Amino acid sequence: MTHDLVATLAERLAHPAGLAARVTAAETPEAAETRSLWHGQSLADGHAGVGLLFAALAHGEPAYAEVAHAHLTAAVTGVSRPAREGLYAGLPAVAFAARTAVTRPGAYAGLLATLDDQVALLARRLVAEDAPRVAAGTAGARMAGYDVVAGLAGLGRLLLAAGPAHRDTTEQVLAHLVALTRPVTGPGGRTVPGWWTGDPILLSEPDGVPGGHFNAGLAHGVPGPLALLSLAHRAGVRVPGQEQAIRTIAEWLLARRSPDGLGWPNIVPLEAELTAASGARPELAEARTGWCYGTPGVARALQLAALALKEADWNRRAVAAVAASCDRPSRARAFGDPTLCHGLAGLTTIVTLMAREPGGAELAALVPELSDALADAADPGHPFLWAAATPGGSTVVHRPGFLDGAAGAALALRFATDPDAPRGELSWQAALLLC
């Protein structure tokens, strides 16, 4: 069944020409108001993201390599680069997709050499922009400067995959993220963790949090830097202070869990952080069961830290948190949306990854239930089989893409049900900083 669903979706997404028009035709005006429906160079909703599906399939079925190539070509042909680039937008998105599509030595070598240079240039620019603030110990980190989607955590993961040719830039990124963990002088002259931000939680929500906040989501918060620092440490790429930075973030996250000790909030507002710093436990409710925000994403970042520093207790807590999250009635909220970002596909992918790590065996029994639910969520009557929902859940959204579309759901289902499927050097899950 899994193979049939993935094959059906692949057939519907196989021809890049006209796909953007089909996306637009399938949407409602209400959905179009919430965000851009399609951009060719988007890893979330574009040819780069759809290309990830065909790149993954090509490692086992070579015929799909041509389709992956067609989507990569579409991503760079007649497409204007977005105003702001990051792992999920622009040339870095194309570079990531191309690197996952490498099925033989030398494939895409010329394209990757050019794109990797652009990614390194962008990463060095982000470091240089923020370096004076960090050196002065001034509060005010920008989420888009350090996060997974647009910032250094995402770009750093791509540079880590690029290998020794860009090791210097990778180390610059790591050093900057290490510096981000040092205390700064925040509002009112109070000392706070270095990742305090005055940014709104989401760019689509312009009103910020009074007093600023500390973002605790994997997509836009400090778990992203934690994941990159941990992955680099495990790969033997290390800079001074990296181990302490991993400990600082991991211990902060463990001390900012929900009252039952088994979940994480979206954010920690400034007042809650000051309460926690005084030794009291702030009231921080678990937010959602997702990759972008909530317990699963944070727990996987914590597990990566545990594996990097051989902290078995951190690993036990991370696994227990995910097991409890899957056991709660609130898990049904994830089932309302099948996508990677904040839905069932993301939860399934994280549980599958964590179950395969040392100490994660208790999660293995959850994988069949989650993958069955993900398969059941597919409807051949939908243009792309898996339909998502707008943030309020009131409108069905038809997207073919990776982050909150059908390609991501298909990748998650295939990964959970076929653990021995061939894969390349860079796996699609790395785009989520999950590996």
Side-chain angles (χ1 to χ4, degrees):
M1 179 181 178
T2 295
H3 181 273
D4 291 344
L5 288 172
V6 175
T8 298
L9 178 67
E11 183 178 356
R12 296 187 186 187
L13 303 184
H15 304 289
L19 183 55
R22 288 176 59 208
V23 175
T24 303
E27 301 300 345
T28 64
E30 293 79 12
E33 289 176 1
T34 61
R35 56 174 290 176
S36 174
L37 296 176
W38 180 265
H39 191 287
Q41 289 185 350
S42 170
L43 206 60
D45 292 302
H47 290 295
V50 173
L52 290 180
L53 173 61
F54 292 102
L57 294 174
H59 290 287
E61 301 177 61
Y64 283 117
E66 292 185 13
V67 187
H69 183 77
H71 278 284
L72 288 171
T73 300
V76 296
T77 304
V79 177
S80 59
R81 292 167 64 177
R84 183 174 182 94
E85 295 185 295
L87 180 60
Y88 277 78
L91 295 184
V94 179
F96 186 94
R99 193 164 288 281
T100 68
V102 173
T103 55
R104 54 178 174 76
Y108 294 109
L111 176 65
L112 285 170
T114 299
L115 294 180
D116 287 347
D117 285 345
Q118 293 296 311
V119 172
L121 181 63
L122 175 59
R124 291 195 298 271
R125 186 180 302 145
L126 288 179
V127 169
E129 286 174 357
D130 200 36
R133 181 195 66 81
V134 170
T138 304
R142 302 303 306 272
M143 295 190 314
Y146 71 77
D147 74 1
V148 171
V149 173
L152 290 172
L155 295 176
R157 182 63 187 90
L158 184 51
L159 290 168
L160 185 63
H166 292 284
R167 182 61 50 81
D168 287 349
T169 305
T170 305
E171 291 177 350
Q172 286 184 43
V173 169
L174 296 175
H176 191 76
L177 295 178
V178 167
L180 187 73
T181 67
R182 297 175 190 141
V184 295
T185 302
R190 293 165 290 196
T191 300
V192 295
W195 54 91
W196 176 89
T197 182
D199 288 348
I201 302 174
L202 297 173
L203 295 178
S204 59
E205 299 174 2
D207 294 331
V209 179
H213 72 281
F214 304 84
N215 196 294
L218 179 53
H220 299 295
V222 76
L226 176 64
L228 178 63
L229 290 166
S230 302
L231 288 165
H233 190 281
R234 294 181 76 186
V237 182
R238 301 169 187 175
V239 298
Q242 187 168 337
E243 180 173 332
Q244 182 55 54
I246 292 171
R247 292 189 181 280
T248 296
I249 301 173
E251 290 169 358
W252 182 86
L253 286 169
L254 285 168
R256 304 300 183 273
R257 289 170 291 168
S258 53
D260 62 7
L262 292 171
W264 280 274
N266 283 349
I267 65 165
V268 178
L270 177 62
E271 289 305 315
E273 173 60 26
L274 296 175
T275 297
S278 70
R281 192 175 188 92
E283 291 294 321
L284 296 168
E286 181 186 13
R288 59 166 57 168
T289 309
W291 164 76
C292 55
Y293 283 103
T295 297
V298 180
R300 175 56 175 172
L302 185 61
Q303 184 183 55
L304 291 172
L307 296 171
L309 301 190
K310 297 180 173 57
E311 288 285 354
D313 185 57
W314 296 356
N315 195 19
R316 282 192 293 271
R317 296 187 189 193
V319 169
V322 169
S325 184
C326 288
D327 219 18
R328 290 192 181 109
S330 63
R331 180 190 58 179
R333 287 179 292 175
F335 285 15
D337 190 312
T339 65
L340 283 172
C341 186
H342 45 264
L344 180 57
L347 177 62
T348 302
T349 299
I350 291 169
V351 171
T352 304
L353 281 167
M354 293 183 68
R356 296 177 186 176
E357 299 284 12
E362 71 175 271
L363 298 177
L366 299 172
V367 176
E369 178 195 355
L370 292 169
S371 57
D372 285 349
L374 188 53
D376 290 344
D379 182 349
H382 291 313
F384 308 118
L385 274 72
W386 284 276
T390 54
S394 58
T395 305
V396 173
V397 185
H398 301 289
R399 300 186 190 276
F402 170 69
L403 189 59
D404 51 6
L411 282 166
L413 180 61
R414 178 176 180 267
F415 174 60
T417 56
D418 190 2
D420 298 321
R423 57 180 61 91
E425 236 176 80
L426 182 64
S427 175
W428 61 267
Q429 296 96 333
L432 305 168
L433 267 286
L434 296 176
C435 65

